[in-house]
Amino acid sequence: MKIGIIGGGAVGLLFSHYLSKKFDVTLLARRAEQVLDINSYGITLKRDDCYDHSFIKTEMLRESSLGFDALIIAVKEYDLEPVINALSNTDVKVPLLFLQNGIGHIERVKNLPHETILAGSVEHGALKENDHSVVHTGNGRTNIAFIRGESKGIEELLIQEIKYFPFSLQDDYEKMVLKKLFINVLINPLTSIARIKNGRLAENPHFLHLQRTLFDELQILFPHMKDHIRFQEVVDIARSTSSNRSSMLKDIEEKRNTEVETILGALLIKAEKENHFLPIMKTLYELVKGIEREGQGG
Ligand SMILES: NC(=O)C1=CN([C@@H]2O[C@H](COP(=O)(O)OP(=O)(O)OC[C@H]3O[C@@H](n4cnc5c(N)ncnc54)[C@H](OP(=O)(O)O)[C@@H]3O)[C@@H](O)[C@H]2O)C=CC1
Ligand SMILES: CC(C)(CO)C(=O)C(=O)O
């Protein structure tokens, strides 16, 4: 099975490395330096102070990137537009798997003509060290679910047994994506504003109180999620990833854009359409946007 992975960031390098153990993987990057770098050095993965190397093909993503049996999209949500344009010229029979956090992309990817489109929710922690090295900071699994289509064409991916890299097929993509969204809403903005590691949230009663209020606001938007996620589950995730700096905190520290639009922005649009007032969510959104802007020169 020939798999193309679009985006050579933390998640793209992690997926390229592990999937190359069983599949013919090509990383589709956007910078020629990264293509040269991986072609020269391969990928180095660090896990629990051990190093593992893999050699994969790398090329630039072009509108004519063809010949794959499946494509995995591992760019940030705000970088999806040119990728979606490139994908609209690929074979509609090729399954597409989107790994973005948040919900901003879901409706947009449904407009692609492809027969099989999947969403993925990545539970691994990954940290990019340079263009060819990644640290596997947290063991987890990748949950995947069909937005449309069927498993024909990706069965091999679903049944692969790569050590430290399990996949789990979920039956309801909406529930799967929303569960991850609840976690990101309760952890990412607060850790970015307070500049703390995930674990501090659960230890500080003031942050815990804000998380509880955010959880209640989320339930106003998604009342049906009441039976699918409990507040304590999110607290447990903050504890189990206690030494992590959330991806939003890392983006803020490195003065990059954050994924606040697809995590909080999309929710505030939904709230406005449905006439809900969600003051904590709105305040956190404005704070993250403000901090993001200050970091980028105001
Ligand atoms: N890191 C993590 O632990 C987790 C991440 N995720 C989700 O996975 C997604 C990816 O995250 P992450 O890997 O951390 O992000 P990164 O910012 O590390 O990587 C994104 C990569 O996409 C590349 N890219 C952007 N546009 C294009 C393009 N047009 N063509 C080809 N490549 C492109 C970037 O290239 P360049 O290097 O040139 O900028 C960059 O290498 C996010 O939505 C995130 O929410 C989910 C769970 C865990
Ligand atoms: C689960 C969590 C909060 C782990 O840090 C994450 O997904 C992120 O940082 O984006």
Side-chain angles (χ1 to χ4, degrees):
M1 184 176 185
K2 287 182 72 174
I3 300 180
I5 297 181
I6 303 178
V11 168
L13 290 173
L14 187 82
F15 272 66
S16 300
H17 174 80
Y18 280 110
L19 292 180
S20 72
K21 293 183 182 293
K22 288 270 164 76
F23 304 105
D24 176 353
V25 170
T26 303
L27 178 67
L28 300 161
R30 73 168 159 186
R31 284 176 298 109
E33 305 97 273
Q34 186 173 28
V35 172
L36 274 174
D37 205 41
I38 295 181
N39 281 337
S40 308
Y41 304 109
I43 294 177
T44 300
L45 178 126
K46 187 176 166 197
R47 192 184 162 280
D48 295 340
D49 289 328
C50 295
Y51 291 88
D52 193 14
H53 299 278
S54 53
F55 289 92
I56 60 159
K57 286 175 239 150
T58 322
E59 54 189 62
M60 298 289 283
L61 173 68
R62 300 184 204 291
E63 293 203 359
S64 56
S65 292
L66 294 172
F68 296 105
D69 299 314
L71 282 163
I72 298 179
I73 298 91
V75 306
K76 290 262 170 72
E77 191 271 346
Y78 51 73
D79 276 331
L80 270 177
E81 208 50 51
V83 174
I84 287 180
N85 289 340
L87 288 173
S88 54
N89 296 319
T90 57
D91 182 354
V92 299
K93 295 212 172 301
V94 175
L96 306 176
L97 168 58
F98 288 85
L99 297 178
Q100 290 65 37
N101 277 338
I103 51 165
H105 59 296
I106 299 289
E107 289 309 310
R108 274 194 291 158
V109 307
K110 283 184 187 167
N111 292 330
L112 279 161
H114 294 69
E115 288 170 10
T116 302
I117 300 184
L118 301 106
S121 160
V122 178
E123 289 178 356
H124 298 276
L127 186 61
K128 178 176 166 173
E129 286 204 313
N130 59 42
D131 270 347
H132 67 274
S133 307
V134 62
V135 188
H136 192 175
T137 53
N139 280 336
R141 61 181 186 183
T142 303
N143 297 308
I144 60 178
F146 288 91
I147 296 177
R148 72 163 170 258
E150 47 175 66
S151 56
K152 207 164 122 268
I154 61 146
E155 300 93 329
E156 274 185 66
L157 192 61
L158 292 174
I159 59 165
Q160 58 81 11
E161 284 186 1
I162 297 172
K163 199 170 173 197
Y164 307 124
F165 210 64
F167 279 73
S168 168
L169 183 63
Q170 307 291 310
D171 55 12
D172 184 331
Y173 84 85
E174 209 197 337
K175 264 186 224 142
M176 179 191 81
V177 167
L178 287 180
K179 251 185 119 156
K180 185 72 196 288
L181 183 69
F182 270 54
I183 295 163
N184 290 129
V185 168
L186 266 64
I187 296 179
N188 296 24
L190 281 171
T191 51
S192 315
I193 296 163
R195 309 231 173 184
I196 50 172
K197 291 184 178 174
N198 296 357
R200 293 306 309 151
L201 291 176
E203 307 311 326
N204 184 322
H206 301 284
F207 294 133
L208 209 54
H209 173 70
L210 279 171
Q211 284 189 299
R212 180 75 241 187
T213 315
L214 271 173
F215 189 77
D216 294 342
E217 288 189 353
L218 278 164
Q219 287 196 326
I220 295 174
L221 288 181
F222 305 105
H224 64 287
M225 287 301 287
K226 191 165 170 282
D227 300 330
H228 304 293
I229 184 155
R230 288 173 300 108
F231 179 63
Q232 191 55 41
E233 277 179 69
V234 184
V235 175
D236 291 345
I237 288 170
R239 285 216 170 96
S240 67
T241 58
S242 62
S243 57
N244 265 31
R245 306 178 95 71
S246 75
S247 55
M248 195 174 278
L249 173 58
K250 278 185 253 157
D251 287 337
I252 292 280
E253 288 174 335
E254 284 167 35
K255 302 189 188 326
R256 296 190 298 240
N257 281 329
T258 69
E259 293 189 298
V260 70
E261 289 296 348
T262 187
I263 292 174
L264 292 181
L267 294 180
L268 290 168
I269 292 172
K270 178 173 162 63
E272 198 175 324
K273 276 192 196 140
E274 297 172 5
N275 289 319
H276 299 302
F277 176 53
L278 307 177
I280 302 298
M281 217 180 273
K282 174 77 176 150
T283 306
L284 294 187
Y285 169 82
E286 296 298 347
L287 278 168
V288 174
K289 291 297 280 186
I291 295 169
E292 200 181 52
R293 189 166 164 159
E294 286 301 311
Q296 294 175 354

